[in-house]
Structures are given as C-alpha cells and as structure tokens.
Amino acid sequence: MKHVRHFNPSLFLSLVHVCLVQANYAPYFFDNGARSTNGNMALLSLSEDIPVGTHVYTLNGTDPEGDPVTYDLTYEAGSRRYFSVDKNLGNVTLIEELDREKEDEIEVIVSISDGLSTVSEKVRILVMDANDECPEFINTPYIVGVPENTPSSSSIFKIEAVDKDTGSGGSITYFLQNIHANKFTIDRHSGVLRIKTGVTLDYEKSRTHFVVVVAKDGGGKLRGDNKVFSATTTVTINVEDVQDTPPMFIGTPYYGYVYEDTIAGSEVLTVVALDGDRGKPNNIHYCIVNGSEGSFEISNTTGAISVIKSPNQLKKEVYELKVQASEVSQEGDISEHIFAMVTIRVVDLNNHPPTFYGENGPQNRFELTMYEHPPEGEILRGLKITVNDSDQGANAKFNLRLVGPGGIFRVVPQTVLNEAQVTIIVENSAAIDFENFKVLTFKLLAIEVNTPEKFSSTADIVIRLLDTNDNVPKFSSDYYIARIPENSPGGSNVVAVTATDPDSGLWGEIKYSIYGTGADLFLIHPSTGIIYTQPWAVLDAEVNSKYNFYVKAEDTDGKYSLAEVFITVLDVNDHSPEFNENIQEKTMIIGSPVKIEAIDQDAEEPNNIVDYSIMQADPANVFDIDQSTGEIKLKSYIRSLDIIHNITKNKDCIWSLVVQAKDRGSPSFSTTAVLKIDITEETLHKGPMAAFLMQTKDNPMKALGVLAGVMGIMVLITIMISTAMFWRNKRSSKIMPVRRIIKKRQIPPSRTVRMEWLKFKRPSNAAEKFVVEDDVKSLPENNENSNNNIQVTPVPPSAPLPPPPPALAPRSDAPGWQVPTVSGSLTPKHIIKPPKKKGHGSTHNALVSELKMRFEKRNAATGEPHI
C-alpha cells in the first residue's frame, strides 16, 4: 500500500527562508595598515593640537553580499567621547580637544553593520605630543641666604623647572636676564646658581640681590608652527653679614668749645662710632689716646668728652685729642679699632653785641636833610656814625647792611672787626625823588658773623628830602582832537588841554600858550588850558574844515612840553543847491537823456548831496528825471517825433520844465529853475566819426587837439624817414666826383589824401552840416639831409595815411567828455583846468598853431560856422 505525500506550500517557503538566512555573511572592516586614513582606525595616531571639528579618519568596510553598511562609534562607560562618525559615509570627526598630558591613549569601539549582522572591534588611538606646555618652576618662591664671605664661583642654589611635553618640547635650559648687570651665573642645563668668578658679596654695600631666571623649552611643533615657550621667576638672594669691617666714626670732623663760664665736669661734645658690620654689630669701646694733658676725659661706652678743669686753668687755646674706637666681641675681646681727631677750642664768652655811637655817645637814630637827586657816589657827610663790638677775636666780627628800599644807598664797610666808621654812599640818584618819597627811612643792621648767638643791633636812618625843579610839565595826551560846528559864535569853547607838573610850589605851576599857522582863529586860557575861538572868528567848513596847531605847557623855570591839537569844523547845511549857467535850454535827441546839474557848496554829506525832481511840466507825464544824477529822459513810449507831434501841436518841439534841486541836510534847502528842452531825432550819420562830431560839437578845442595830434604824428614819421635816408647815404663807401647830376624827375600821379573831417548831418530844422577837408601835399623835392658828395635827388617817399584819432584817456582832475545834449546856441560852462606842465617843445606848439590856422581857413572858405 502506497502512501501519497501531499505538497505543503507554507512549509516550502519556510525551508527556503532558512536556507537564505544561513547564507548571510557578516560585514568586515578593511585593514589598510598603520598609516592609512581609512579602515578600522587600528594603530591610528593623532597629534594633540589637531583642532576640534577636523576630519581625522574614514571608517571603511564592506559586506560580502554587497549589502550597504553603516558605521558607529561607542565608548566604554565613563570614557570621554572624542569622536563622532557619519553612519553612512564613515567620516570620523574630532569633537573634543585632545590633551596628551591628560590622556595619551583613547579606546574606541568601532562597529560595522549590514542591517542583519554587526561586527565590533576595540581599537586604541595614540595621542601624539605637541609643544603646548610652558616650563613651570617648582618649589617657588626662591629665597636664598648667602654669607658675604662666600667664595666666588661657589654654588649657592639649584633651580628646577619641569615641562610636561616630551622630546625637545620637554627639555629645559636656564639662563639669567641682565647677565652683565648682576653678580651671578647659572648652569644652563642643571639650573645651579653660582657667584660669578672673581666677584664677591659685600653686606655693607648691597644686602639683597634679585636675580631673574628664565627657563626655556627646546621648542617643537604646535599647529604647524615651531613654538618655543619660556617662564621666568625671581630669586631673592639675601647677603648675610660677617664680622669683617672695622668700626667707623659718624659726624667727623669733631669740634668742641669751652667758654669762659663753663663749669668743670661739663660735657663738651660726644663722638659716635658704629661697627661697620651692620647685620650683627659689636659694641664700641672709646678711649683718649693722647692730647688731653689731664684736662679732658671720655666715657668708654657713650663717647661723651668732658672738661675736668675750670676754664681759667686751661693753659692752651686749642686742644687736639686723639680718640680710639674699638670693637668688643661677644666674648669681651677687643678686636678692630679706628682713630678720630677731636679739636676743642677755649674761647672768650660772646656777651657784647655790636653798638652804634654818635658824636655824643651811644645812639640808635640818625637824621639828615638833603636835596633830591644827589650825584651818584656822593657820601652822606651829615651822618656821623661809629659801630663797635667789645668782644675779642671772632666774637667781635660782624656784618653791616642797610634794610629798606633796595639799590638807593650802600654802606661801607660791609664787614667790621671790633670797630669802624660807617659811611653811606649814594648808589641810585634817580630813586631819591621828592615826588615819590618825602622821607626815606632805613634800618642800619649790625649782626655777628661767626658766633652761635648771632648778636645784633640796629639804628634808624631818617633822610628828609628837599624838592628841586626836576620835572617837565607833561600833557595828558600827545595830541587832542576836537570838533566844533561851523555856525558856532566867536568865543566858543573848543577843547580843554591838561598838563601836570609834579614839582611843588611855583615849580609846579603851569602856564599854557598856543602857536602855529592854524592857531589864528583860536585862543587858550593861560591857566585852565581851555581853547576857545577868537571873538571875531567866523568858521566856515567850506573854506577850511581842518585846523591844527601846538599848545605849550611851561613852568616858571621855562621847562616845557608840547602837544598837538587837531580841530575839525563840522559842516552845517547853510548853502542851497545852485544850477549850472547853461541849464536854461537843452537839446534832447530821442533815445538819449539830457542832464542838469546843481552844486551844493556845503562841505560834507548829506548837506552837499542833491536830489532832483520835476516840479511842473507842460505837458505833464512826458519826462522822467533820475533823482540822483539829474538825467532827464522821455517816457519809454516816446520813440519818435511823430509820437511827439501827436501829443502836442507845437511843431518846434520845445517844452518847458520846472525842475528842483534839493539837498539832504537838516533843515533842507532847495532851488528851482525853468528848463527848455528842444527835442530832435538822432543824426543819420553813423560810425565813429559821427559819434566823435557829436561829442565835440560843443567843444571845438577838443577837435583841434585831435587834428594837431594827427599832424604831429605825420611830421614825426616824415622826420624819421628823412633821418634814416640821411644816415644811409652818409655811411656809403662809394666816392663820387664833385659834380651835380641833374635828372628829370618823373612826375608821379597826384596823390591827394582827403579826409572827411567833422561831417555832421541832421534833418531839416537841425544844425548845419560841417565838412572839413585837408590835402596832404607831397614832401619837398630836395633832401636837405643828403650827403654833400652825392648830388642825386632821391625819390621822396609817399606820405603815410593819417592814423585814426587817438583815444583820449579820462583825466583824474576833470570830468570826462560825454555826448553833449545842449544845443549849439548855449554856451558851455567853463571848466577850470589845472595849469599845464612845463616841458612842451616849440615844435609841438608850432604844429598846433598851424593846424588851428588851417582849420579856421577851411571854415571861412566853406562859409560854415566855427564850432
């Protein structure tokens, strides 16, 4: 019997799954060696100075089935996490700063997983050293005690410093700062501090030394750079005293004095000695070696010297004592010693001060009367003064000096021994001035020089001064400035001058006077100094507005001083404006103004400033006037005679205006005048010649001057050409026979230079037409400047064309010419011209006269009126 086995699908799938699971292999890391940058981090070494955030390694592995793998880093419990990893890429990044000195090995568990299997490995990462530590001194502070007698080159201390780095960065060398300035040296490797060879320590000179020691490592790499670190410390070396210095006296030299009233047994002076070794000083023992002669003794412990005899028993005036100071050790032994000399002088007692004497005995006040300003170097003979000190020797020596205003007198002698006659001499005569001091008071002081008491005495010196006339009257100012209106009546006060004379009595009285070319209208009061006008004086600012003169202040002895007075006469508005003579009729060309002018004879503004106005016009509203200049214009709409004919039936176009000239003074004055204006149109002639004719039709002398200038230039050019030809012929080197060669001169075509001169045209009812013509004739045939040896007559040069009329520069002292607007029938106002300067040649005058004559002949020939 056969059993049939049925197919179970679910069982089949399970069997397949088991087979697949059994076929999965675990992933693994690549092992790329110790220096690789990817793999399983085995044998990885990192420098401790790698910055945080640096990519330090890449975990790298694979899965046999080719499945993707992930990576991870884990640490044992309590360990610091130094790295992080990208799970997919395996990039390992440093996340914690490394420090080899704290942890030189790091254990990390690295793992790789394919999702089903995970493989973990523990790896050890070595942390490599970098030079990031500084040397550190140990067992600081360093304080060393060294006896002063320690031999040179001896070792006195060992300094030690450590550096946690390894290699060269951990090696240390030592050296001292300011090696040349101190007394020590150090072994650069061991740090042993020694005294320099040939150098010794001295407690008495320097008790403490400060030595700066520097510890420097050997250097190493830190973040790519070679770094060297160092540290410093100070070693305090205290020098210990040793008994090697003898004692020394303090306050030498020693001097003592025994006076006549000193009691026996009194202390005269004390000598002091100290052990030269100040650290542990010994006691001092004193004794007198010689020179005492039984008159003095000394305390063995204090050094006090006393006199053991009364002063009258002392046989010598000066005693020289030799004193010995010795050291006494702790055991009581006397060791080193030193000597000092003590001088004791027996002196008289200073019990008498200096005393002043007059003619009748002791006196402390001396008086004298004298005139001011005595000659310098003069002795004040009225003072009889003697000074005396009854002591002997140095006690009788004293100085004299005057106490009071300095630099006026000096006293002689200045140093006195026992007794002297006192002389006072004038040193500064100018300071002895009655006006400053009526009485001069001084203290005459006598004070001892070399005595401890410095006894002194004083005497009063009183000098009464008498006045002299030594001052000149002086004005309060070098000049006085005054102003007075021109309408002030005679006898009016102008200004008061003041002078002072500090002298007393009649010498101080002042008399004033006045003089000078400008003083005719003024007087001065002789005692008060008030300046006033003459009773008959009439001031006029228009005639003379400035006066200046001198005033004199004089005392009774004739001493005087001067001051200058400047007086300005103030203008008062006392003149009315006055019109010019030719204001009655004027001719106005349409488009050009006419001008009226009034002059105010007042001297100053605003009294002489004139304003113009039209008071009345017939017809009205035709003319305008400029208030400041007096120019009268037609209204802007009047541009031709036709418009004027429409305004009025008066065909001659002569209108009347009432104009006023008014000054700006207070009160104001004014003047009116009637002005007739003849209106005409502008001439048809154009160009500069017509303009010139219009400018000169009222001034014929100006046209004459221009013609004279043109003729003068032509004559000058002719002379220059003739002179040039003369010199050319004269310099010719050709010698000709003395004969006359006559040649027929070719007649050149006639050349007539004609010039329309002074042409003026106007329409009907206007001025006549003036035309002046001038023919320029040819030059003379004969050349008067020709060389006598050459008889050939040269061809005369053609005359040049006349130049245009020269532009006349405006004169600074006369008003410039303008286009006149006054008709030819009016007489222009004569302008007073300044006198001409001398120096014009006769040739110039002749040319002007000839030109004037020709001009008059042309006018007579043509029948034209003279301008």
Side-chain angles (χ1 to χ4, degrees):
M1 181 177 180
K2 295 182 180 179
H3 295 280
V4 179
R5 185 173 293 178
H6 297 282
F7 177 72
N8 189 349
S10 58
L11 180 59
F12 177 76
L13 292 175
S14 297
L15 292 175
V16 172
H17 178 69
V18 171
C19 293
L20 291 176
V21 171
Q22 290 178 352
N24 182 39
Y25 294 94
Y28 60 91
F29 284 104
F30 295 128
D31 186 3
N32 293 326
R35 296 184 179 181
S36 67
T37 59
N38 61 82
N40 60 352
M41 293 183 69
L43 301 178
L44 177 64
S45 61
L46 298 176
S47 178
E48 64 177 331
D49 59 350
I50 293 178
V52 174
T54 303
H55 173 217
V56 296
Y57 198 81
T58 300
L59 293 176
N60 192 8
T62 185
D63 183 70
E65 288 81 19
D67 293 333
V69 295
T70 59
Y71 306 95
D72 194 12
L73 294 178
T74 56
Y75 300 86
E76 294 182 357
S79 298
R80 180 178 297 181
R81 296 176 56 85
Y82 285 95
F83 306 99
S84 65
V85 65
D86 187 306
K87 293 184 177 296
N88 297 319
L89 301 179
N91 294 332
V92 179
T93 302
L94 181 67
I95 61 174
E96 183 74 22
E97 185 177 2
L98 302 177
D99 189 350
R100 188 202 65 82
E101 285 72 28
K102 295 180 179 179
E103 191 173 1
D104 58 355
E105 290 185 358
I106 301 173
E107 290 186 351
V108 181
I109 299 173
V110 298
S111 60
I112 184 173
S113 173
D114 59 0
L116 297 177
S117 301
T118 299
V119 178
S120 298
E121 298 180 9
K122 179 183 288 187
V123 295
R124 181 174 297 173
I125 300 172
L126 300 179
V127 180
M128 307 303 293
D129 187 38
N131 190 23
D132 60 344
E133 298 290 336
C134 294
E136 294 181 3
F137 290 95
I138 61 176
N139 300 324
T140 57
Y142 298 133
I143 301 175
V144 184
V146 181
E148 64 176 334
N149 59 354
T150 302
S152 63
S153 302
S154 298
S155 173
I156 59 175
F157 191 70
K158 178 177 174 58
I159 297 168
E160 186 175 358
V162 294
D163 192 321
K164 297 178 182 179
D165 291 320
T166 61
S168 62
S171 63
I172 296 177
T173 56
Y174 304 91
F175 60 93
L176 302 182
Q177 288 185 353
N178 301 324
I179 185 65
H180 301 290
N182 58 54
K183 298 183 177 183
F184 305 92
T185 183
I186 192 171
D187 187 280
R188 64 190 306 267
H189 298 294
S190 64
V192 174
L193 191 64
R194 302 177 185 273
I195 302 175
K196 279 185 178 180
T197 303
V199 174
T200 58
L201 304 180
D202 191 342
Y203 176 85
E204 286 69 35
K205 293 182 179 180
S206 180
R207 300 182 182 183
T208 304
H209 298 273
F210 298 98
V211 179
V212 178
V213 180
V214 179
K216 183 175 68 172
D217 63 18
K221 293 291 183 177
L222 178 64
R223 296 183 179 89
D225 296 329
N226 190 39
K227 295 289 184 178
V228 177
F229 292 99
S230 62
T232 60
T233 189
T234 300
V235 180
T236 302
I237 301 175
N238 295 321
V239 181
E240 298 175 352
D241 190 23
V242 176
Q243 286 294 333
D244 58 351
T245 305
M248 61 184 68
F249 280 100
I250 305 299
T252 57
Y254 294 111
Y255 295 96
Y257 298 92
V258 177
Y259 298 97
E260 58 182 348
D261 59 347
T262 301
I263 301 174
S266 299
E267 182 178 323
V268 178
L269 79 160
T270 300
V271 298
V272 178
L274 299 176
D275 187 355
D277 301 308
R278 304 296 178 84
K280 298 177 181 178
N282 290 328
N283 295 327
I284 305 298
H285 178 270
Y286 302 95
C287 65
I288 298 176
V289 178
N290 55 43
S292 172
E293 299 183 5
S295 301
F296 300 92
E297 65 179 5
I298 188 171
S299 172
N300 295 332
T301 57
T302 63
I305 300 176
S306 303
V307 59
I308 57 178
K309 294 183 180 179
S310 60
N312 56 4
Q313 294 177 335
L314 300 178
K315 299 178 181 180
K316 297 172 63 176
E317 183 177 351
V318 178
Y319 289 86
E320 296 285 343
L321 307 183
K322 185 176 182 180
V323 178
Q324 175 181 308
S326 305
E327 289 186 24
V328 179
S329 64
Q330 300 295 332
E331 294 78 13
D333 299 331
I334 295 177
S335 57
E336 299 186 25
H337 57 271
I338 193 173
F339 299 97
M341 298 302 298
V342 179
T343 302
I344 299 178
R345 184 179 297 274
V346 181
V347 296
D348 180 34
L349 183 64
N350 183 28
N351 51 6
H352 296 91
T355 305
F356 292 101
Y357 295 87
E359 295 179 344
N360 300 320
Q363 186 175 337
N364 59 5
R365 183 180 177 87
F366 300 87
E367 297 185 5
L368 175 67
T369 300
M370 58 181 291
Y371 283 101
E372 63 176 338
H373 304 303
E376 292 184 0
E378 180 175 310
I379 297 175
L380 304 187
R381 302 186 183 278
L383 296 176
K384 306 293 184 180
I385 306 174
T386 303
V387 64
N388 175 269
D389 191 327
S390 301
D391 289 321
Q392 300 298 320
N395 291 338
K397 186 177 181 180
F398 54 92
N399 288 339
L400 289 176
R401 72 170 184 265
L402 282 175
V403 180
I408 300 178
F409 300 99
R410 62 185 175 93
V411 62
V412 177
Q414 294 183 352
T415 301
V416 180
L417 184 62
N418 291 118
E419 183 175 307
Q421 184 75 30
V422 179
T423 301
I424 297 178
I425 301 174
V426 176
E427 194 170 41
N428 185 358
S429 175
I432 307 174
D433 192 349
F434 177 82
E435 285 72 34
N436 293 331
F437 307 99
K438 304 295 186 294
V439 178
L440 291 173
T441 303
F442 296 88
K443 289 284 187 182
L444 182 58
L445 174 63
I447 182 170
E448 292 179 349
V449 179
N450 297 323
T451 63
E453 295 82 9
K454 299 293 182 182
F455 288 141
S456 64
S457 61
T458 60
D460 294 327
I461 309 295
V462 180
I463 301 174
R464 305 184 186 279
L465 299 180
L466 300 177
D467 192 23
T468 61
N469 189 20
D470 60 332
N471 290 283
V472 177
K474 185 177 181 181
F475 281 98
S476 59
S477 176
D478 293 334
Y479 57 89
Y480 296 88
I481 299 175
R483 297 174 177 85
I484 182 170
E486 64 177 342
N487 61 353
S488 300
S492 298
N493 290 346
V494 180
V495 66
V497 298
T498 305
T500 56
D501 191 330
D503 291 321
S504 61
L506 296 177
W507 292 325
E509 295 183 1
I510 298 174
K511 179 181 178 182
Y512 299 96
S513 59
I514 186 173
Y515 68 96
T517 56
D520 298 338
L521 300 182
F522 303 93
L523 296 173
I524 188 169
H525 194 281
S527 58
T528 62
I530 297 176
I531 298 175
Y532 54 95
T533 60
Q534 295 273 12
W536 46 265
V538 178
L539 303 178
D540 192 345
E542 291 73 38
V543 177
N544 190 2
S545 63
K546 303 291 183 181
Y547 296 90
N548 77 291
F549 48 83
Y550 291 93
V551 290
K552 180 179 180 181
E554 185 177 12
D555 63 13
T556 55
D557 268 359
K559 294 184 177 181
Y560 68 91
S561 62
L562 301 176
E564 194 167 4
V565 179
F566 299 89
I567 298 177
T568 301
V569 179
L570 301 177
D571 183 44
V572 177
N573 192 23
D574 54 357
H575 289 83
S576 299
E578 296 180 2
F579 284 102
N580 292 345
E581 301 172 359
N582 56 356
I583 192 178
Q584 295 148 359
E585 292 185 4
K586 288 186 179 290
T587 300
M588 175 183 288
I589 300 175
I590 295 178
S592 299
V594 296
K595 183 176 182 180
I596 62 173
E597 185 177 7
I599 297 176
D600 194 315
Q601 297 297 330
D602 285 314
E604 298 178 0
E605 297 180 357
N607 297 335
N608 58 6
I609 297 178
V610 179
D611 293 331
Y612 302 92
S613 61
I614 298 175
M615 305 298 295
Q616 184 178 353
D618 185 19
N621 297 326
V622 175
F623 298 96
D624 288 328
I625 189 169
D626 189 294
Q627 179 181 351
S628 301
T629 64
E631 288 187 349
I632 300 176
K633 299 179 181 179
L634 291 171
K635 294 289 186 177
S636 59
Y637 65 87
I638 301 176
R639 300 179 181 177
S640 65
L641 286 176
D642 295 336
I643 299 176
I644 295 175
H645 293 160
N646 294 332
I647 296 174
T648 178
K649 296 180 180 180
N650 188 1
K651 299 302 180 181
D652 56 4
C653 298
I654 297 177
W655 290 350
S656 296
L657 300 177
V658 178
V659 293
Q660 182 189 60
K662 184 178 181 181
D663 63 27
R664 297 184 183 178
S666 180
S668 177
F669 293 97
S670 62
T671 302
T672 59
V674 178
L675 173 64
K676 293 183 179 181
I677 299 179
D678 181 9
I679 301 177
T680 182
E681 286 186 336
E682 185 179 4
T683 178
L684 298 177
H685 289 280
K686 304 294 182 178
M689 184 59 69
F692 176 75
L693 292 176
M694 289 302 297
Q695 291 179 3
T696 59
K697 72 186 185 68
D698 291 333
N699 190 355
M701 294 304 295
K702 182 174 182 181
L704 184 62
V706 173
L707 290 175
V710 173
M711 295 299 296
I713 293 173
M714 294 175 63
V715 172
L716 181 61
I717 293 174
T718 303
I719 293 173
M720 292 174 62
I721 294 174
S722 300
T723 304
M725 294 189 65
F726 167 76
W727 284 105
R728 186 192 66 179
N729 297 333
K730 188 175 181 180
R731 294 178 182 177
S732 176
S733 61
K734 184 175 181 181
I735 301 176
M736 301 295 293
V738 182
R739 60 178 181 174
R740 184 175 181 181
I741 300 175
I742 300 176
K743 288 186 178 182
K744 186 176 180 180
R745 180 173 63 87
Q746 295 180 0
I747 299 175
S750 60
R751 305 177 68 182
T752 302
V753 180
R754 304 183 63 87
M755 181 177 181
E756 292 186 356
W757 189 247
L758 294 176
K759 288 186 178 181
F760 178 71
K761 293 181 180 181
R762 59 178 299 177
S764 59
N765 298 330
E768 290 81 10
K769 172 183 176 183
F770 295 90
V771 177
V772 178
E773 296 180 354
D774 189 11
D775 296 333
V776 180
K777 297 181 180 181
S778 61
L779 293 174
E781 179 178 351
N782 297 330
N783 181 11
E784 296 178 358
N785 294 329
S786 300
N787 194 321
N788 294 332
N789 296 329
I790 302 173
Q791 302 300 328
V792 179
T793 303
V795 178
S798 60
L801 294 177
L808 300 178
R811 298 174 62 90
S812 62
D813 54 353
W817 289 98
Q818 299 177 355
V819 177
T821 59
V822 182
S823 65
S825 62
L826 295 179
T827 304
K829 182 180 178 181
H830 296 286
I831 299 175
I832 301 176
K833 296 183 179 180
K836 295 182 180 180
K837 296 182 180 179
K838 296 180 180 181
H840 295 290
S842 59
T843 304
H844 178 73
N845 296 333
L847 290 174
V848 174
S849 300
E850 182 181 356
L851 182 60
K852 184 176 181 182
M853 291 174 62
R854 289 188 180 184
F855 188 73
E856 292 176 352
K857 288 180 181 180
R858 293 294 181 187
N859 291 338
T862 57
E864 295 175 347
H866 175 64
I867 296 177

